[in-house]
Amino acid sequence: MIKVEHISMKFNVANDKIMSLKETIVALLSGRLKYEQFTVFEDVSFNIEKGEVVGIVGKNGAGKSTLLKIISGVLKPTAGNVSIGGNVVPMLELGSGFDMELTGQENIFLNGAILGYSKEFLLKKYDEIVAFSELGDFIYMPIRNYSSGMLARLAFSIATVVKPEILIVDEILSVGDAGFQAKSLNRMMELMSGGTTVLFVSHDLQQIEDMCDRVLWLENHKMRMYDNAKVVCKAYKEYWL
């Protein structure tokens, strides 16, 4: 379902503290603007089969979110290739694909369109989306007034209104109150049991071990392990103890 072949990701980082476009132009013209190459990770390869649930672990800065963005098509890798065998629903940065000046109701249709849903489909599913989000009359309020938990509810409700072939999730299950976390976890379990391929990042190692078939461990710019969830989680815990 997902085939990742020898991908690397590197960024050019300016070595000067430049705070504005004017400073950038001055530094460029004066020859002071220098770049250093930062390697997020290199030569990462793995396959995910249809219906598998795969978790990604690693310390902050290991490149977990960057990897999800590459697989989702948001970023292009510096080297290597990614092949996808189905439609992808990415749930990455909270609020991405939303317009903060529009209401929750309007954002259902905007974000739904970005995810590839038709207006007719969204009209049919509208009541279900609103009910699952538990936003009530807040659905008519501009989402700039929403808390992070309310945004998470709306994003999750739209993204999972149908069964996607591939669902990519970055920490969204850890946002919101305990009740909604449990509710979203149940929805995730329904999707998994229905054959959806899931790739997700979480800092909750027990959640990773309980939910995943296999786990990818990123460490020191490399893929350290990719194996059975219990095997990788055990090794990861021993490494950091």
Side-chain angles (χ1 to χ4, degrees):
M1 205 64 167
I2 301 173
K3 187 174 185 180
V4 176
E5 301 176 283
H6 305 290
I7 65 168
S8 298
M9 193 67 191
K10 300 178 181 181
F11 293 108
N12 287 326
V13 181
N15 61 0
D16 199 2
K17 292 183 179 180
I18 295 172
M19 304 299 292
S20 68
L21 178 59
K22 179 181 178 180
E23 289 180 14
T24 301
I25 294 172
V26 171
L28 183 63
L29 293 175
S30 64
R32 291 190 296 106
L33 189 60
K34 305 293 183 184
Y35 290 96
E36 295 178 359
Q37 195 170 72
F38 173 73
T39 299
V40 182
F41 51 73
E42 56 185 352
D43 198 26
V44 172
S45 298
F46 60 94
N47 295 332
I48 299 176
E49 303 299 326
K50 180 176 173 58
E52 269 195 308
V53 181
V54 173
I56 304 177
V57 297
K59 63 182 181 180
N60 289 334
K64 303 182 296 297
S65 296
T66 300
L67 180 58
L68 292 188
K69 288 177 182 178
I70 290 172
I71 294 172
S72 300
V74 176
L75 293 176
K76 182 177 176 61
T78 308
N81 296 291
V82 176
S83 302
I84 303 294
N87 71 301
V88 178
V89 172
M91 298 178 65
L92 303 174
E93 294 175 2
L94 207 58
S96 60
F98 285 160
D99 186 324
M100 293 296 163
E101 297 305 313
L102 299 180
T103 65
Q105 181 184 49
E106 291 166 328
N107 271 289
I108 288 176
F109 293 94
L110 173 63
N111 193 246
I114 291 171
L115 293 175
Y117 303 154
S118 68
K119 181 179 179 181
E120 291 73 23
F121 174 81
L122 291 168
L123 284 168
K124 182 180 177 182
K125 293 288 185 176
Y126 174 80
D127 289 341
E128 181 182 335
I129 294 170
V130 175
F132 190 88
S133 72
E134 300 176 357
L135 289 172
D137 288 340
F138 284 104
I139 200 70
Y140 305 113
M141 181 183 293
I143 64 170
R144 66 173 180 270
N145 300 311
Y146 283 19
S147 66
S148 60
M150 292 167 74
L151 275 176
R153 290 181 180 196
L154 186 58
F156 192 88
S157 301
I158 297 169
T160 60
V161 68
V162 294
K163 186 181 77 175
E165 292 177 282
I166 301 170
L167 181 64
I168 296 180
V169 183
D170 189 358
E171 289 287 356
I172 200 163
L173 293 180
S174 65
V175 181
D177 57 46
F180 192 78
Q181 284 183 33
K183 188 175 177 179
S184 58
L185 180 59
N186 288 336
R187 174 65 68 90
M188 286 276 288
M189 298 302 286
E190 288 174 13
L191 293 173
M192 292 173 194
S193 64
T196 295
T197 303
V198 180
L199 178 61
F200 78 103
V201 165
S202 175
H203 286 290
D204 186 336
L205 209 59
Q206 191 60 55
Q207 187 181 74
I208 289 275
E209 188 172 336
D210 291 343
M211 294 177 65
C212 296
D213 301 304
R214 290 194 282 177
V215 174
L216 170 68
W217 176 8
L218 292 175
E219 188 73 36
N220 295 325
H221 315 296
K222 298 281 188 180
M223 183 176 75
R224 186 179 179 94
M225 286 183 75
Y226 182 50
D227 206 331
N228 173 272
K230 292 188 183 300
V231 171
V232 177
C233 288
K234 182 176 183 293
Y236 186 76
K237 282 186 274 190
E238 290 175 349
Y239 181 82
W240 286 108
L241 284 178

